[in-house]
Amino acid sequence: MRTGVFKTKDSFNRAFKKRMKATYLKDIETSNIRERYNILGTLLREEIAKDWIKTNKQLEKKDQKKVYYFSMEFLMGRLVTNNLMNLGIRDVVEEAFNDLGLDLNEVEHYESDPGLGNGGLGRLAACYLDSLASLGMPGYGQCIRYRYGLFYQKIKNGYQEERPDNWLSDGYVWEIRREEEAIDVPYAGYVGWENGFVYHPSEFIRAVPYDVPIVGDHNGVVNYLRLWNAEPSKKYPNTKSAFDYETELQKISGFLYPDDTTYEGKQLRLKQQYFFSAAGVKSVLKKHVEKHGTVRNLSDYVVFHINDTHPTLIIPELMRLLLDEYHLNWEEAWDITTKTVAYTNHTILAEALEKWAVNIIQPLLPRIYQLIEEINRRYLLELLEKYGYEQTERIQSMAIIQHGVVHMAHLCIVAGYSVNGVAKLHTDILKHIEMKKFYELYPDKFHNVTNGITHRRWLLHSNKELTALIESVIGPDFKSNPAELEKLLPSANDQRFQDRFIAVKQAKKQQLADRIYREQKIKLDIESIFDIQVKRLHEYKRQLMNALHIMDVYNQLKSDPDFRKNYVPHSFIFGAKAAGSYHFAKKVIKLINTIAQKVNNDPETNRYLKVVFVENYNVTYAESIMPAANISEQISTASKEASGTGNMKFMMNGALTLGTMDGANVEIHDLVGDDHIFIFGMNADDVTSIYQNGGYQPKDIYDQDPLIRGLLDQLVNGYFENVDKEEFREIFNNLVYHDRYFVLKDYHAYRKAHQDANEAYKDARRWAASAITNIAKSGIFSSDRSIQEYANLIWHVKPMI
Ligand code: NBG
């Protein structure tokens, strides 16, 4: 029970009206949504502030270890509902709004969705912040306050266009600027020698933190996400014009992942990475020393967590501060660093494993580069001692700097005290294939923590109907302890429960269908199977295989009356952003939209088949998509998807996975068993073996398989009337001559999995039983479990309450 403004609906109403008048000189009746949202947000922030201050006081008293989670991405989604629910005041506010004749839902939907991320990596970071606060652990995010996020995706004539995502245009009610904690981040210049190395930067950029509160679930705890903004430093550079300096600042906190195909682009990314890493580390050290009077016990109180390699520069920056500013010697500094830094790997894709050319790092960060060199030198000496000259090849392949290139993952493994993968299979691949030599060197550093999702946002908030249904059977305990979902298992075969589950699913499908109709004017039939693939657009995720299969279905609907009789109508839904410079991925978007246009407008078949590519897929969209799915497409080339987290969200909302034995699909399969999932295709060993031994010729499949040849030919033979015949030549060539991700090789298995799913869906009871089984088994994928594991295994942090 709250005191003050949120105590009762009447106290809230009074405060709301009063604040409306004082701020906008308006009555409730004449106010608009923006004003209503802002007043609600302000009152909420004041409420949160009380808990925030309390949390800080508590921490002040009980000085304990804290985690700083550095990530290039945080896909937070809207916070208003989250905050209302976690504070336990949504009902009061809703009633108050009803009394005022206002719609809380509408006001909640006014909030912008900050797109400070690209995909699973960023959403994972956001789920983890929610769990940290909800478990009462002191854990804080560190990132950049990108003015325009990743980008806003427009679909124009089937093509993706990238626009600035102006999420800050109307301010951001949650953030608090902390002017006094700003940090000057040094760049460029040179390193001199005055009884020791002295760094003379030629330029500083001021990093100003904006803190966004992260509210724990009904526990009075408030953590924060710190977003650093780039601003002019008082130490003004004398090497640049004001105009150039200002342009540079704008770029640093402008976009996430700016095009890095040019030298300047690469330099900008590195600048961004150093910007928030350096600002974060320095501010933490400053506070620590203020409190403890020394940096020597840092590792007892601080963990710097490196989320994928983007924040790797934390490592040399920490060394730099310990050596140059706190005047420790190398051994002392290294000892502290290697006890403070932990690293999570999120991908084995070679092109995503960051490598920075020395000729980019060195001019931009001369002292940092010098320290990386020294770390590498000492480390190589150790390797030499261990392995001897006979194994120089092994040693060279493990070096941090190789042929003028710095391998960031190697630096993380060498300097971090922990390296973890994000699903069992992924960790095994790291240990035994990708990072085999490092695992042999440091077996104790390697851990697995399978990813998780916050069940609060992905079940309790975004699927209130399902939550209520579950609660009516097993009581409310699953909300705070999601493992309790398992109690639902006996209901899987209860016909009355199945009926109620089906009714909820239909209602959620209708809500999604309404949104899609409103925005894209495509009508979906909720009796059709909602078959959904939402995730970053990438070749390894094989949206292309899904698209080819839709063409295949369409061909059969057109030519085979028996097929049509047996086919349960399907609505295939896609959501995905392609990186701006990822040309091929953008072609796939165009292909999906071209297919959609053709099939949706064919009166002969469009009762059976619809295709939708939703525009600007983001967290908010995902909240209406996850609850509405019947089939969750998780069809990556085995071994390539480190974990996946969409797979978990779909599962928790009662969709059945149709997927490969990849990432966390493997764990989903192990939990639910063969009967409640559709697994197909090559496994990770098959894939690895082909990569190692070669021997795959997609052209042979094209030549020998008439079905596949027919489909591929349709890409280039004028079959799509509304596009140039050559539009998809590149896709055709890629599949026939390269097919690095085995689309053709897995195609028939994929097709068969779809046939099985189609048949299974006809037995509505069996399908519902499977869906309920999936929900019952999904508790383990709550990010509360993941965070508990990080805390026990890696961070050694404890709840503060
Ligand atoms: C992604 C993986 C996903 C995984 C998320 C979160 C990157 C680099 N990696 O499989 O592709 O679920 O990280 O761990 O975005």
Side-chain angles (χ1 to χ4, degrees):
M1 185 64 163
R2 296 248 140 204
T3 54
V5 170
F6 290 92
K7 185 160 189 241
T8 64
K9 62 178 185 172
D10 294 332
S11 58
F12 176 78
N13 271 352
R14 276 195 302 276
F16 192 73
K17 285 185 195 158
K18 195 167 152 200
R19 190 64 66 87
M20 184 66 81
K21 273 218 175 80
T23 313
Y24 295 115
L25 317 173
K26 279 189 181 174
D27 295 327
I28 301 301
E29 298 74 42
T30 52
S31 65
N32 60 36
I33 291 202
R34 185 179 71 86
E35 292 157 347
R36 290 168 193 171
Y37 167 78
N38 278 332
I39 298 300
L40 173 64
T42 316
L43 292 175
L44 267 173
R45 198 182 62 200
E46 289 165 12
E47 191 64 19
I48 292 167
K50 293 190 212 161
D51 287 355
W52 201 345
I53 293 168
K54 249 196 329 223
T55 306
N56 285 345
K57 279 206 182 119
Q58 215 161 334
L59 277 173
E60 195 61 36
K61 254 200 304 203
K62 195 174 148 204
D63 192 15
Q64 63 181 97
K65 198 170 186 186
K66 304 182 176 89
V67 185
Y68 296 89
Y69 195 91
F70 284 72
S71 177
M72 204 73 192
E73 307 182 21
F74 279 90
L75 273 178
M76 301 303 291
R78 290 179 182 145
L79 293 183
V80 60
T81 310
N82 197 70
N83 291 347
L84 283 166
M85 306 244 332
N86 283 5
L87 288 171
I89 54 180
R90 194 174 181 280
D91 290 345
V92 172
V93 174
E94 191 165 29
E95 283 171 26
F97 266 49
N98 288 342
D99 280 4
L100 294 171
L102 304 179
D103 180 355
L104 176 58
N105 234 319
E106 195 181 51
V107 172
E108 288 172 296
H109 279 75
Y110 180 79
E111 182 165 321
S112 61
D113 180 337
L116 310 183
N118 186 9
L121 177 95
R123 183 53 228 176
L124 184 80
C127 283
Y128 281 0
L129 289 188
D130 183 66
S131 285
L132 277 162
S134 294
L135 295 173
M137 294 183 191
Y140 312 95
Q142 299 264 353
C143 188
I144 296 176
R145 185 172 176 267
Y146 309 101
R147 183 87 184 68
Y148 300 116
L150 182 71
F151 58 79
Y152 186 94
Q153 180 191 55
K154 270 299 250 193
I155 301 294
K156 268 264 172 93
N157 186 27
Y159 295 101
Q160 167 180 297
E161 284 180 7
E162 302 96 39
R163 311 261 170 91
D165 181 1
N166 202 3
W167 66 285
L168 281 169
S169 63
D170 191 25
Y172 190 55
V173 70
W174 308 113
E175 66 183 8
I176 296 178
R177 181 181 166 93
R178 296 221 186 262
E179 187 69 33
E180 68 290 351
E181 296 195 36
I183 300 282
D184 274 321
V185 179
Y187 289 97
Y190 66 96
V191 182
W193 176 266
E194 295 156 32
N195 288 326
F197 291 108
V198 181
Y199 176 31
H200 302 277
S202 66
E203 177 176 325
F204 290 90
I205 289 177
R206 188 170 153 86
V208 182
Y210 284 72
D211 289 348
V212 177
I214 308 293
V215 178
D217 180 26
H218 290 85
N219 65 0
V221 169
V222 178
N223 291 337
Y224 59 85
L225 162 64
R226 176 160 280 198
L227 301 173
W228 294 96
N229 195 46
E231 298 181 17
S233 164
K234 296 202 174 74
K235 301 177 202 161
Y236 200 75
N238 46 20
T239 49
K240 268 199 180 122
S241 74
F243 180 81
D244 288 348
Y245 186 51
E246 163 66 9
T247 311
E248 188 184 351
L249 299 173
Q250 292 290 342
K251 282 187 183 160
I252 289 179
S253 39
F255 284 96
L256 165 66
Y257 301 141
D259 183 5
D260 65 347
T261 49
T262 61
Y263 180 85
E264 287 72 30
K266 287 191 175 65
Q267 216 181 31
L268 173 59
R269 283 216 197 179
L270 193 66
K271 250 184 217 168
Q272 289 184 317
Q273 296 188 355
Y274 184 63
F275 174 72
F276 85 107
S277 304
V281 169
K282 187 159 186 172
S283 68
V284 171
L285 252 62
K286 221 162 110 184
K287 262 203 213 134
H288 179 84
V289 172
E290 270 164 27
K291 189 158 179 81
H292 297 268
T294 174
V295 276
R296 289 178 194 274
N297 59 358
L298 187 74
S299 67
D300 295 336
Y301 292 94
V302 169
V303 180
F304 290 128
H305 200 90
I306 300 185
N307 195 36
D308 230 27
T309 53
H310 314 113
T312 303
L313 293 173
I314 284 176
I315 294 164
E317 176 65 7
L318 182 54
M319 287 298 287
R320 185 180 79 83
L321 296 176
L322 295 174
L323 293 167
D324 297 0
E325 298 195 1
Y326 294 98
H327 309 293
L328 303 189
N329 67 34
W330 183 278
E331 285 72 22
E332 293 166 332
W334 185 244
D335 184 55
I336 292 172
T337 301
T338 52
K339 283 182 182 152
T340 309
V341 175
Y343 158 61
T344 300
N345 172 283
H346 292 268
T347 182
I348 61 159
L349 285 192
E351 64 268 29
L353 286 174
E354 284 190 298
K355 298 178 195 75
W356 289 105
V358 171
N359 70 7
I360 291 184
I361 302 193
Q362 194 171 25
L364 188 68
L365 308 166
R367 178 66 177 141
I368 289 296
Y369 179 69
Q370 192 183 35
L371 291 169
I372 295 174
E373 249 186 355
E374 181 61 13
I375 293 171
N376 186 48
R377 189 185 69 80
R378 289 173 183 246
Y379 158 68
L380 288 182
L381 286 175
E382 269 173 37
L383 291 186
L384 204 56
E385 187 149 314
K386 186 173 169 86
Y387 296 117
Y389 281 100
E390 311 79 65
Q391 299 196 50
T392 37
E393 216 171 290
R394 170 188 282 260
I395 295 172
Q396 269 163 8
S397 70
M398 295 172 79
I400 296 168
I401 306 173
Q402 295 173 26
H403 310 295
V405 172
V406 180
H407 291 241
M408 303 310 254
H410 295 189
L411 182 51
C412 288
I413 301 170
V414 173
Y417 68 86
S418 167
V419 178
N420 77 284
V422 290
K424 284 181 191 151
L425 174 67
H426 172 232
T427 302
D428 282 342
I429 292 173
L430 292 181
K431 285 184 182 173
H432 304 300
I433 302 170
E434 296 297 320
M435 297 178 171
K436 184 166 186 285
K437 291 174 190 156
F438 292 96
Y439 178 57
E440 285 161 5
L441 180 65
Y442 308 118
D444 299 337
K445 281 192 189 184
F446 284 74
H447 304 289
N448 176 60
V449 182
T450 298
N451 282 166
I453 56 167
T454 168
H455 65 286
R456 284 168 290 276
R457 181 175 292 260
W458 297 109
L459 177 60
L460 312 189
H461 306 177
S462 60
N463 202 342
K464 299 196 181 69
E465 297 87 337
L466 182 58
T467 304
L469 175 61
I470 296 171
E471 188 170 352
S472 73
V473 178
I474 64 169
D477 291 355
F478 72 99
K479 296 182 187 174
S480 51
N481 179 13
E484 296 264 316
L485 280 171
E486 187 116 18
K487 288 197 178 144
L488 204 58
L489 209 49
S491 305
N493 291 308
D494 171 345
Q495 298 207 353
R496 276 196 34 227
F497 186 77
Q498 290 175 351
D499 289 340
R500 290 165 73 197
F501 169 75
I502 292 168
V504 166
K505 184 57 86 180
Q506 294 303 89
K508 299 310 279 185
K509 285 166 79 172
Q510 191 61 57
Q511 288 167 18
L512 176 62
D514 290 346
R515 172 164 185 184
I516 288 172
Y517 185 70
R518 223 175 24 246
E519 294 181 6
Q520 293 177 251
K521 295 287 167 288
I522 300 172
K523 238 195 184 113
L524 299 184
D525 176 3
I526 62 164
E527 297 305 322
S528 68
I529 296 176
F530 278 23
D531 180 310
I532 308 187
Q533 187 174 20
V534 283
K535 45 185 79 252
R536 287 182 290 138
L537 213 137
H538 200 291
E539 284 162 273
Y540 85 80
K541 295 177 185 280
R542 299 198 291 193
Q543 282 96 346
L544 183 51
M545 187 162 77
N546 190 348
L548 288 175
H549 177 254
I550 296 170
M551 290 166 58
D552 186 355
V553 167
Y554 177 64
N555 291 340
Q556 292 177 81
L557 285 172
K558 293 293 275 183
S559 63
D560 182 352
D562 280 344
F563 178 86
R564 201 184 289 185
K565 250 201 321 255
N566 276 318
Y567 193 65
V568 183
H570 276 61
S571 300
F572 288 95
I573 300 168
F574 292 85
K577 288 184 185 177
S581 54
Y582 192 170
H583 178 75
F584 190 83
K586 290 165 108 172
K587 274 280 177 205
V588 175
I589 293 181
K590 172 66 178 169
L591 175 62
I592 294 168
N593 283 315
T594 306
I595 296 170
Q597 202 194 8
K598 189 167 175 96
V599 308
N600 293 349
N601 295 312
D602 186 336
E604 201 184 1
T605 58
N606 63 12
R607 260 172 303 146
Y608 304 95
L609 181 60
K610 286 270 170 70
V611 181
V612 181
F613 188 97
V614 304
E615 194 172 74
N616 197 46
Y617 175 64
N618 60 6
V619 175
T620 302
Y621 220 135
E623 287 167 15
S624 38
I625 284 181
M626 298 300 167
N630 299 118
I631 293 181
S632 151
E633 296 262 356
Q634 306 299 336
I635 60 178
S636 53
T637 311
S639 80
K640 295 296 173 193
E641 189 70 274
S643 163
T645 42
N647 46 4
M648 302 170 184
K649 293 164 200 160
F650 279 120
M651 177 193 190
M652 202 174 265
N653 284 279
L656 272 58
T657 306
L658 191 156
T660 47
M661 283 297 250
D662 200 16
N665 298 352
V666 176
E667 285 158 74
I668 294 177
H669 168 262
D670 292 351
L671 283 164
V672 301
D674 286 328
D675 289 348
H676 307 298
I677 190 167
F678 302 97
I679 293 290
F680 72 92
M682 301 163 78
N683 63 30
D685 288 341
D686 303 334
V687 170
T688 309
S689 149
I690 297 189
Y691 279 131
Q692 284 170 352
N693 308 320
Y696 174 50
Q697 302 291 349
K699 177 79 168 41
D700 292 347
I701 298 184
Y702 174 80
D703 288 337
Q704 288 154 25
D705 185 325
L707 174 77
I708 286 180
R709 191 168 58 250
L711 285 172
L712 297 195
D713 286 348
Q714 283 180 332
L715 294 174
V716 288
N717 67 6
Y719 168 77
F720 294 112
E721 309 84 5
N722 297 325
V723 296
D724 187 285
K725 219 171 122 195
E726 294 303 305
E727 179 72 39
F728 303 121
R729 172 72 60 189
E730 199 181 334
I731 295 181
F732 175 90
N733 285 345
N734 181 303
L735 289 173
V736 175
Y737 300 107
H738 308 285
D739 195 20
R740 281 205 297 149
Y741 297 105
F742 307 111
V743 171
L744 304 193
K745 197 164 169 62
D746 264 348
Y747 186 75
H748 282 277
Y750 180 55
R751 189 175 199 254
K752 170 77 169 48
H754 268 290
Q755 285 163 356
D756 293 346
N758 185 70
E759 289 314 303
Y761 195 81
K762 292 178 185 169
D763 184 344
R765 299 224 162 271
R766 205 185 107 195
W767 189 278
S770 288
I772 297 162
T773 304
N774 270 274
I775 299 168
K777 294 283 186 183
S778 68
I780 197 158
F781 294 119
S782 164
S783 45
D784 289 2
R785 187 267 312 148
S786 315
I787 286 298
Q788 203 73 61
E789 286 181 13
Y790 275 101
N792 296 339
L793 207 64
I794 299 173
W795 299 333
H796 309 297
V797 293
K798 296 204 169 56
M800 53 186 132
I801 42 169

